[in-house]
Amino acid sequence: MLKLLEKYSNLLPVTSSTPLITLGEGFTPLIQARKIGEMLGVNLYLKYEGTNPTGSFKDRGMVMAIAKAIENGARSVICASTGNTSASAAAYAAAFDLRAIVVIPAGKIAMGKLAQAMIYGAKVVQINGNFDDCLKLVKKVSDDYPVVLVNSLNPNRIEGQKTASFEIVDVLGDSPDYHFLPVGNAGNITAYWLGYIQYQKEGKAKKLPKMMGFQAEGAAPIVRDHPVKHPETVATAIRIGNPASWKRAIAARDESKGFIGMVSDEEILKAQHLIALKEGIFCEPASAASVAGVIKMAKSGIFNGDETVVATLTGNGLKDPDVILREMDKISTIPNDISAFIKEVGF
Ligand SMILES: *Cc1c(COP(=O)(O)O)cnc(C)c1O
C-alpha cells in the first residue's frame, strides 16, 4: 500500500527512526463538481476527505502525530474533540498499541463519531462543557502527566495535514486560485497554507491560492474578532469559540489575500443537500460550510468565471445523519399492495 508518510517523507518531519505507519490515509479524490461549478460559474473541485480511514481529514495529521509519539517512546495519547479527532486518535492508537484518552463535550458529539471512539477502545470521558473547555483540560493534563497531546496544537498534526495541499497540486499541476475550507480550531487552514507555500518553494507550484475560511454564524470568533463563550451550530465539528490556531488562520488569510467569513446553519444545510443532490457526495454539515462559502462569494461577485476553486469536504456524512433523519416522517409508508405502490411512485 502507498503510504502517505513515505510518499511525502522529504516534506514531513520523517526521520530514519520514524515508523512509517499507515491505516491507508490520504490520497483522497479531487472531484470536479460539474453541476455546482456550472451554476456558480467557476471550475469547482471538491477535495473529499471522507474516504480517509476514519472518514475525515484528521487522519492525515493523526498518522504523523502518532508516528512521532511512537518514535519518542510514548505509551498514551490524549485529545479534546468535537468528534473526528477522537475517532482518528482512537483508531491509530488501537492499531499501533497506544492508550487513547479522549475528552468530549457531553451530548454534543455526532453519534457516528462517538461510536468510532468506543469501538476502537479509547477511554472516553464526557465533560459538562464545550470543546474549548475540553481542550483547556487536556492541555493541562498533557503538561503535567506522561501523555502526548494529539490535538492540532501538536505541530505534527499540522505537518501531516499539509499533505492535502500537496495532493491537490499533484493533480491540478498548480495551486488553485482559491481554496475554501470550514474553520473550527483553525488547524486545517493553517496546514493547507503551509503546504501550498512549501510546495511552491519546492518548485511544484507556481502560484499560491487565496485561502478562504468559513465559520458558522453561531461559532465565528475570528470573524467577530472575539472569543464566543457559547458557540452553537448544527455543524458540530466547527462548534468552537476560541480556536487554538486563531493567529495562524489570520496570517494565512492575510498573507494569501484571502478572506474569513461566516455562513448560517441554513446555508450550511442547503449546501450539504446541494452537494449530495447535484454531485452525489454525502459530507457532514461542517464540511458543507466550505461550499456554502463558495456560494456566498459567487453571489457577491468575486469570480470572473475562469478561476479554479477547490473546496475541502472535511468529513463523511455518515458520521452525522441526525439532522437529515429529522425529515424521516416524509418517507411514505403504504399498504403492501401493487396498485397503491404504482400510485405512490407516480408511474
Ligand atoms: C476538525 C474538523 C473541522 C475543522 O477543522 P479545524 O482544523 O479545527 O479548523 C471541519 N470539519 C470537520 C469534519 C472536522 O472534523
Side-chain angles (χ1 to χ4, degrees), residues 56-58 84 182-188 237-238 284 286-287 314-315:
S56 87
F57 73 85
K58 298 296 198 301
N84 283 333
V183 173
N185 219 16
N188 214 25
I238 53 172
E284 65 173 285
S287 308
T314 45

Side-chain angles (χ1 to χ4, degrees), residues 177-334:
D177 297 302
Y178 291 88
H179 191 116
F180 283 74
L181 282 163
V183 173
N185 219 16
N188 214 25
I189 191 168
T190 301
Y192 269 91
W193 180 234
L194 294 176
Y196 283 122
I197 290 176
Q198 191 173 10
Y199 235 36
Q200 191 199 37
K201 284 198 180 127
E202 289 286 310
K204 303 256 192 189
K206 288 185 278 303
K207 61 184 179 193
L208 291 168
K210 292 187 168 67
M211 299 304 298
M212 311 290 284
F214 280 83
Q215 303 192 293
E217 278 181 0
I222 298 177
V223 179
R224 300 184 192 280
D225 204 24
H226 60 77
V228 174
K229 235 205 176 89
H230 302 292
E232 239 354 302
T233 169
V234 67
T236 51
I238 53 172
R239 188 175 171 274
I240 292 175
N242 192 11
S245 298
W246 190 322
K247 288 202 178 109
R248 290 192 292 177
I250 288 183
R253 177 194 69 190
D254 295 346
E255 290 168 21
S256 73
K257 301 190 174 60
F259 180 72
I260 295 180
M262 57 187 178
V263 283
S264 67
D265 278 8
E266 197 190 333
E267 289 171 304
I268 288 172
L269 294 176
K270 259 195 179 152
Q272 186 194 22
H273 278 84
L274 194 72
I275 298 160
L277 286 168
K278 297 291 180 197
E279 310 296 344
I281 304 168
F282 183 20
C283 67
E284 65 173 285
S287 308
S290 63
V291 171
V294 180
I295 294 169
K296 193 161 206 166
M297 291 292 99
K299 280 185 185 154
S300 80
I302 68 163
F303 303 125
N304 299 320
D306 50 4
E307 294 95 340
T308 298
V309 176
V310 173
T312 301
L313 299 182
T314 45
N316 192 312
L318 290 172
K319 286 168 168 286
D320 187 6
D322 304 10
V323 193
I324 295 146
L325 294 177
R326 276 183 215 157
E327 302 197 357
M328 205 152 61
D329 57 2
K330 284 192 184 157
I331 298 176
S332 44
T333 306
I334 58 163

